[in-house]
Amino acid sequence: MQERRKTRQVIVGDDRVGYVKIGGDAPVSVQTMNAGFTYDIDACVAEINRYADAGADMVRVAVPERKDTEALRHILPQVKVPVVADVHFHYQRALEAVEAGVHKIRLNPGNISDRDQVLKVIDACKERKIPIRIGVNEGSIIERRDKQRRAEELGMYFEGHKSGHLLALMIAKLEEYLEIFAERDFHDVVISAKSMDATLCIDAYTEISKRFDHPLHLGVTHAGPKSTGTIRSTIALGTLLANGIGDTIRLSYASDHIDEVKDGLEILYCLGRRERKGVELIACPTCGRIQVDLFTLVKEVEAKLAKEVSLPIKVAVMGCIVNGPGEAEGADVAVFAGDRRGIIYVQGQKVANVPEEEILDRLLLECTTFQDKVRRGEAKLGEKSVEIVPPDPIGELGSGVDKIRKGLVEKVTVGGR
Ligand code: SF4
């Protein structure tokens, strides 16, 4: 893991919804975009607040028509998080959204024909201290009006996709766009450079992070259905975030956008880029040693704990005694199965041995009781009172620790320590 790259910081929000900082020392934020129509005011508010409740730090909405920006006036006073207006082609929509009090604008200068129109949007945002995200996304940087230029750029794209021509084009466009903002001394700019190709995303954001100090909005665009989109997105965003690159993220799946929020947060939790909220659930994949219906149990535990536990308690649900004790030792609350029963531990202490049909209720009870104790200051997350020693499977050959003690294993250095 590399340290986070230091960037400028932009601030999105207002006194009512609160402020989300992007870049600088702010935690990496998670966003998604509404799937419904913005002009459908009640549905739009409900959708934004649903994502907010799931953990989204801000939500973007499309404003293709005047009725959408008009709806913003009614939407903004009812939402729980800052709202970003997504503008394409019509600079007037951006001006109307700014006038309505939107918190951030997403704009591709390449999609607006007249430079003066772009300058008008920049001036309006500058006056109200509204940040703008600009994109040099793979799908939108190829010239659309000038036929000769389009042919040249498409030539670059198809010939040179793998050899960096597209990347060079992205950087060149970005420099062009940023010049327009510099002309107005406007620096509250967030940059995105999305592609549906995970490797291109990694290369593009890495290159941009070396050249510009603006905060970066990471995303793999049009990542596909959740089944493959998760993998595509996690590979690109996980690599970049582990390398210290990225200040706000949006996953984009062809599925319920609540998944984008949940998966985005999980990526950040796993990489330590955000403090976990809610349970961290560990579960075994099951095998021929399984002793209970573990898949059903895990599903039920996950759903119930999401509602009842808000502290980052580590909970392990294991199918048998082979890996059960090891996970029980590392988790705050754990159950491992044995002969259609569940043996439950809290911070290393065995607290119950119940039949399979009682596992769920008893585990939930232990989790909520433990959460109450932590809240009262009677227990601390991540502490354990006893060690559960598993049998040494290596026998006479000696354990790994023995080898380290005898100096047979080289010392591993982590981060210069
Ligand atoms: S904990 Fe037991 S059942 Fe689960 S995968 Fe490991 S060995 Fe198999």
Side-chain angles (χ1 to χ4, degrees):
M1 288 290 292
Q2 294 194 13
E3 262 183 49
R4 278 274 302 286
R5 178 187 73 115
K6 283 273 177 299
T7 67
R8 294 165 187 268
Q9 188 171 77
V10 308
I11 299 177
V12 184
D14 61 27
D15 288 345
R16 200 191 65 76
V17 290
Y19 294 90
V20 176
K21 294 176 179 170
I22 305 178
D25 58 0
V28 179
S29 52
V30 171
Q31 32 185 311
T32 185
M33 186 167 181
N34 265 21
F37 298 116
T38 305
Y39 62 77
D40 189 351
I41 296 169
D42 291 346
C44 182
V45 169
E47 192 178 350
I48 291 171
N49 286 340
R50 184 168 160 256
Y51 300 145
D53 289 341
D57 297 295
M58 67 195 104
V59 176
R60 184 157 45 112
V61 298
V63 288
E65 297 183 48
R66 179 82 198 235
K67 60 183 176 185
D68 297 305
T69 48
E70 275 168 5
L72 281 178
R73 290 185 187 284
H74 307 283
I75 292 164
L76 294 172
Q78 303 183 65
V79 294
K80 298 179 182 175
V81 288
V83 172
V84 186
D86 191 79
V87 178
H88 282 284
F89 308 122
H90 303 291
Y91 82 105
Q92 298 97 325
R93 296 292 94 78
L95 295 179
E96 290 154 13
V98 168
E99 197 55 39
V102 83
H103 306 107
K104 186 177 163 207
I105 295 282
R106 182 269 166 110
L107 183 81
N108 282 351
N111 277 341
I112 294 179
S113 52
D114 187 333
R115 190 178 175 119
D116 283 343
Q117 294 176 347
V118 177
L119 291 175
K120 277 186 185 145
V121 177
I122 295 172
D123 290 344
C125 288
K126 189 173 179 185
E127 198 188 319
R128 295 198 178 217
K129 295 193 167 45
I130 296 174
I132 300 177
R133 193 235 311 175
I134 57 168
V136 283
N137 300 350
E138 183 184 3
S140 65
I141 57 165
I142 307 290
E143 171 66 36
R144 289 174 197 227
R145 289 178 301 275
D146 182 328
K147 280 189 182 160
Q148 193 182 336
R149 201 167 161 197
R150 179 174 175 79
E152 285 168 15
E153 290 182 355
L154 279 173
M156 275 183 177
Y157 176 75
F158 290 115
E159 268 174 38
H161 190 81
K162 297 285 173 206
S163 60
H165 285 293
L166 183 60
L167 190 55
L169 188 60
M170 280 174 156
I171 300 283
K173 292 269 181 179
L174 193 52
E175 282 171 347
E176 225 175 80
Y177 295 164
L178 287 174
E179 261 177 37
I180 307 175
F181 287 84
E183 196 179 297
R184 284 297 202 263
D185 197 23
F186 183 94
H187 303 287
D188 283 346
V189 176
V190 177
I191 296 172
S192 66
K194 299 185 189 181
S195 164
M196 44 68 68
D197 180 328
T199 59
L200 181 61
C201 273
I202 294 169
D203 288 345
Y205 280 108
T206 302
E207 197 53 40
I208 288 168
S209 73
K210 288 181 200 158
R211 292 166 183 250
F212 307 99
D213 66 352
H214 298 79
L216 297 183
H217 166 120
L218 304 186
V220 173
T221 195
H222 316 137
K226 179 173 158 49
S227 53
T228 49
T230 316
I231 295 165
R232 202 186 282 264
S233 305
T234 306
I235 285 171
L237 273 54
T239 303
L240 288 162
L241 289 162
N243 289 339
I245 298 166
D247 305 285
T248 183
I249 64 171
R250 190 238 165 155
L251 276 64
S252 51
Y253 303 149
S255 75
D256 186 343
H257 292 189
I258 208 92
D259 294 332
E260 300 180 358
V261 179
K262 288 183 179 171
D263 294 356
L265 284 168
E266 193 57 39
I267 291 173
L268 297 179
Y269 294 152
C270 289
L271 290 168
R273 294 299 189 211
R274 275 284 280 261
E275 259 184 52
R276 182 178 288 277
K277 280 189 186 153
V279 165
E280 179 178 8
L281 187 58
I282 296 151
C284 84
T286 79
C287 71
R289 299 179 191 90
I290 190 72
Q291 303 277 328
V292 293
D293 178 3
L294 195 93
F295 289 173
T296 305
L297 179 63
V298 169
K299 240 184 184 171
E300 290 171 344
V301 167
E302 187 181 26
K304 296 255 182 189
L305 290 182
K307 285 187 193 141
E308 294 181 32
V309 176
S310 56
L311 293 184
I313 296 174
K314 206 173 194 179
V315 178
V317 181
M318 306 295 289
C320 80
I321 202 160
V322 171
N323 292 313
E327 291 298 347
E329 191 182 84
D332 293 306
V333 183
V335 60
F336 58 86
D339 196 17
R340 298 271 152 208
R341 297 185 71 81
I343 299 124
I344 299 177
Y345 281 78
V346 176
Q347 296 208 309
Q349 294 273 20
K350 186 173 161 186
V351 293
N353 182 336
V354 294
E356 182 174 3
E357 56 279 12
E358 291 175 25
I359 293 176
L360 178 65
D361 287 345
R362 186 60 192 258
L363 188 68
L364 292 177
L365 176 69
E366 295 302 337
C367 288
T368 50
T369 306
F370 178 68
Q371 173 169 257
D372 293 343
K373 274 188 167 179
V374 173
R375 287 199 171 127
R376 289 196 301 268
E378 293 165 14
K380 250 178 145 183
L381 293 173
E383 274 189 352
K384 60 178 166 50
S385 49
V386 292
E387 284 188 12
I388 304 166
V389 184
D392 181 357
I394 310 173
E396 284 182 4
L397 291 173
S399 70
V401 173
D402 290 338
K403 287 181 181 154
I404 293 169
R405 282 194 188 124
K406 286 175 191 159
L408 298 173
V409 176
E410 266 184 46
K411 202 177 164 196
V412 179
T413 313
V414 181
R417 278 175 284 136

